[in-house]
Amino acid sequence: MSSEQKKPQKIIPIKADSQEKTISFFEAHKKIYPRSISGRFMSWRWAMVWLTQLIFYGLPWLDWGQRQMVLFDLGARRFYLFGYVLYPQDFIYLTALLIVSALSLFLFTAVAGRLWCGFTCPQTVYTEIFMWIEHKVEGDRSARIRLDQGGWTLEKIWRKTLKQFLWIALALWTGFTFVGYFVPIRELGGELLALQGGWQIFWVLFYGFATYGNAGYMREQVCKYMCPYARFQSAMFDKDTLVVSYDAKRGENRGPRKKDLDYKAQGLGDCIDCKLCVQVCPVGIDIRDGLQYECIGCGLCVDACNNVMDNMHYPRGLIRLTTQNAVSQGWTGAQIWRRIASPRADLHHDFGRFAVGPGLLYGGARASRLM
Ligand code: SF4
Ligand code: SF4
């Protein structure tokens, strides 16, 4: 007799669970109320907002001789760029430009993380401008939460109406400017005022609506759920990529404490658990939980935490722009930069990924694998 015959198989009955719950794969969207903050990263963000928007809004109004300086005249199949006129047969230049841009983006991501997302992406830049308007009209985080949770008063109606008016005006101007790169902008302005040019009106409204919806309402959801770059960039990260990180060794155990107490004797780390880093985060994550794909690398949590460290008279940099290797091995800033600038081969995940100079071959090799 075999052992299977000796031991009859145990049957576990499946019971209907009266407490059964339906699990939804969709998380209800929670509105984020970022707190305003000042600091080095915030200043850089605003510098990039000014730079990109001065170029975007200003360029179509500049002339070169008798014509617009930058004009993509699709109807006439001519692109006017400063003193040059490009025809369809010159498409090779556009292809080359796109390839160089793609490789540069991969290279910078491999070396410096999400610089594009945090500082120059139009989604980030317009969200920042729309949030600035919201902040000026409705107040900072706690005032906005109170306003949204309270009933409809005259003050609330007035503030919400003013915000919507400013948002819509900015969105329409953005749509108008964008179309002004394809239709001479002064002619376009005249046509719109005379309510002529059906297609032009359609595209101005279309791009205006896209700006309004993405920067006013969708915000971080575009980065989290819609942006393809956000999804594949993690393939270009390694332990020597610059990322915003929380130094858990230094910060834990977190907890409140009195300023003059010897907190180390009580087993506490440098994190006072004030949650300011969470409140300023435009995507609503807690960087103390580790690197997350939602993080756009804007560095606002660094600014917030540095302000807290200054108040507590602790050294800055509990949250900082660094690399995973630097945090685990306690490298100094100079060591990090030496590592970034030197040739390196990462053999952890696969062979043949090289970074030379600051990562030129590394970015190129990864780019070619992804393209
Ligand atoms: S801001 Fe700094 S101290 Fe405050 S919770 Fe965040 S990591 Fe801790
Ligand atoms: S965790 Fe910090 S760096 Fe990342 S998105 Fe939030 S505030 Fe920006």
Side-chain angles (χ1 to χ4, degrees):
M1 198 185 251
S2 73
S3 57
E4 273 181 23
Q5 283 169 316
K6 280 182 204 161
K7 288 184 190 167
Q9 278 188 333
K10 194 176 171 188
I11 296 169
I12 302 169
I14 300 169
K15 287 184 201 156
D17 183 359
S18 56
Q19 301 294 313
E20 215 171 70
K21 285 181 191 156
T22 306
I23 299 171
S24 170
F25 290 108
F26 292 96
E27 191 187 7
H29 173 239
K30 293 186 200 98
K31 187 171 175 187
I32 296 171
Y33 295 88
R35 194 189 194 105
S36 57
I37 188 73
S38 58
R40 200 153 35 115
F41 283 93
M42 193 50 160
S43 304
W44 272 109
R45 262 166 87 85
W46 273 110
M48 293 313 295
V49 167
W50 278 103
L51 180 69
T52 52
Q53 297 317 291
L54 277 176
I55 293 173
F56 173 71
Y57 290 116
L59 210 50
W61 295 99
L62 300 181
D63 288 336
W64 189 278
Q66 298 300 310
R67 59 168 172 80
Q68 196 166 306
M69 186 191 271
V70 177
L71 180 68
F72 306 114
D73 191 342
L74 296 177
R77 293 184 175 79
R78 282 176 198 178
F79 286 5
Y80 300 100
L81 282 175
F82 306 94
Y84 298 99
V85 183
L86 299 176
Y87 296 89
Q89 60 267 34
D90 299 321
F91 209 75
I92 184 78
Y93 297 121
L94 181 64
T95 312
L97 182 70
L98 289 176
I99 291 172
V100 170
S101 305
L103 286 174
S104 309
L105 192 62
F106 293 138
L107 165 64
F108 284 116
T109 306
V111 174
R114 296 184 73 167
L115 274 187
W116 164 260
C117 303
F119 296 90
T120 39
C121 172
Q123 176 62 25
T124 310
V125 167
Y126 284 103
T127 301
E128 191 64 38
I129 300 172
F130 272 57
M131 284 198 309
W132 179 81
I133 293 174
E134 190 170 62
H135 173 87
K136 289 289 164 203
V137 176
E138 296 184 354
D140 202 4
R141 177 185 151 85
S142 47
R144 294 203 304 276
I145 294 174
R146 269 201 313 277
L147 194 72
D148 278 359
Q149 288 175 351
W152 283 96
T153 59
L154 265 183
E155 192 200 347
K156 181 167 175 173
I157 293 170
W158 175 77
R159 285 186 189 279
K160 293 278 177 195
T161 309
L162 179 61
K163 180 180 83 173
Q164 290 298 332
F165 173 77
L166 294 172
W167 277 7
I168 291 169
L170 178 63
L172 285 177
W173 189 255
T174 307
F176 168 67
T177 305
F178 188 77
V179 178
Y181 279 91
F182 297 90
V183 178
I185 199 159
R186 291 181 179 83
E187 283 174 30
L188 177 68
E191 282 178 359
L192 293 182
L193 286 176
L195 290 179
Q196 290 169 347
W199 277 113
Q200 282 89 323
I201 293 175
F202 169 78
W203 286 117
V204 168
L205 291 177
F206 179 86
Y207 287 112
F209 179 71
T211 308
Y212 172 82
N214 286 345
Y217 291 98
M218 299 293 289
R219 294 187 177 178
E220 80 288 347
Q221 295 177 82
V222 174
C223 313
K224 280 161 81 170
Y225 306 120
M226 293 161 68
C227 177
Y229 174 57
R231 292 289 164 160
F232 68 64
Q233 64 189 310
S234 53
M236 287 175 276
F237 275 35
D238 70 3
K239 290 187 174 172
D240 289 307
T241 300
L242 284 170
V243 287
V244 173
S245 304
Y246 166 69
D247 189 341
K249 264 195 236 162
R250 189 185 138 189
E252 301 299 320
N253 296 318
R254 68 184 75 163
R257 77 284 313 266
K258 289 205 174 111
K259 225 172 175 178
D260 47 352
L261 267 185
D262 181 2
Y263 62 97
K264 288 194 174 148
Q266 296 182 335
L268 289 170
D270 281 359
C271 174
I272 64 168
D273 205 18
C274 61
K275 298 191 174 60
L276 268 185
C277 50
V278 183
Q279 291 176 11
V280 298
C281 178
V283 297
I285 58 170
D286 187 342
I287 195 65
R288 296 174 301 168
D289 295 339
L291 183 61
Q292 293 148 74
Y293 84 93
E294 294 97 332
C295 174
I296 57 168
C298 65
L300 299 188
C301 53
V302 178
D303 284 343
C305 193
N306 279 343
N307 292 347
V308 175
M309 294 296 110
D310 289 350
N311 280 338
M312 298 298 292
H313 305 297
Y314 298 167
R316 287 179 156 213
L318 177 56
I319 301 177
R320 59 185 184 271
L321 188 65
T322 182
T323 67
Q324 281 177 283
N325 268 339
V327 172
S328 60
Q329 298 179 38
W331 287 348
T332 61
Q335 284 173 305
I336 297 171
W337 285 110
R338 257 204 306 279
R339 172 75 174 171
I340 287 171
S342 64
R344 67 179 192 255
D346 178 358
L347 304 177
H348 289 299
H349 305 295
D350 59 74
F351 295 105
R353 297 191 301 174
F354 289 96
V356 174
L360 186 59
L361 289 185
Y362 185 54
R366 285 187 169 193
S368 60
R369 287 192 330 170
L370 289 163
M371 280 172 31

